[in-house]
Amino acid sequence: MGGILPSSGLSSSVIDGVIFASDTSFTSAAILSVARGIGAGCNSAVRGYALGGNDNAGSSYATIDGIDFASDAGFTSAASLSVARDSGAGCNSSAQGYSMGGYSSATSLNYDTVDGVIFASDASFTSAAILSVARSGAIGCSSLNVTVQGAPSH
């Protein structure tokens, strides 16, 4: 979802994907509400989410939006990140989507914040958990019980 176009340096709002059963690609009719890249990604059973991101023109976003898988329609969540930022690590449990860490263009700071969206209520949350070191550009993954984020710094 989204991204930075290398030919122009502009941000994209296009949502592309892969159909697993046929291993074929598609471009969705849905688009992100704000063209941006380097956001955190996660999913519920029915939706794919883009959390935050940067427009490559100096602005970080707190926006949470994405695609409804069944209808191929875009949506903008009522939830938003607690701090506008990009380069967070994305992951999810079955109930919540997380953005961990990240960098804010507005403050020029890395963050140790862990926040995101509660899937059932479409509400924002900020976790009591924080990263051990404020950082951005890390990779996130999750199991049924644990989510992890690792290394680089912006």
Side-chain angles (χ1 to χ4, degrees):
M1 292 187 276
I4 309 298
L5 304 173
S7 60
S8 65
L10 298 175
S11 295
S12 173
S13 59
V14 173
I15 299 174
D16 290 321
V18 174
I19 300 168
F20 293 143
S22 61
D23 197 29
T24 57
S25 59
F26 71 93
T27 299
S28 175
I31 60 170
L32 297 177
S33 62
V34 178
R36 63 195 193 278
I38 57 177
C42 68
N43 63 277
S44 70
V46 297
R47 286 179 156 181
Y49 292 81
L51 295 86
N54 187 292
D55 63 9
N56 210 32
S59 295
S60 297
Y61 290 87
T63 305
I64 298 176
D65 58 359
I67 184 171
D68 182 279
F69 297 136
S71 67
D72 194 34
F75 70 89
T76 301
S77 176
S80 63
L81 298 179
S82 59
V83 176
R85 61 192 195 276
D86 56 75
S87 306
C91 61
N92 54 270
S93 69
S94 60
Q96 296 180 153
Y98 295 81
S99 177
M100 300 181 294
Y103 175 82
S104 172
S105 297
T107 63
S108 298
L109 295 173
N110 285 316
Y111 285 84
D112 59 4
T113 306
V114 177
D115 59 358
V117 60
I118 301 168
F119 298 140
S121 63
D122 199 33
S124 303
F125 76 90
T126 300
S127 176
I130 59 170
L131 302 178
S132 62
V133 176
R135 61 181 169 250
S136 61
I139 299 166
C141 65
S142 50
S143 74
L144 293 176
N145 299 311
V146 177
T147 184
V148 295
Q149 187 240 32
S153 184
H154 203 289

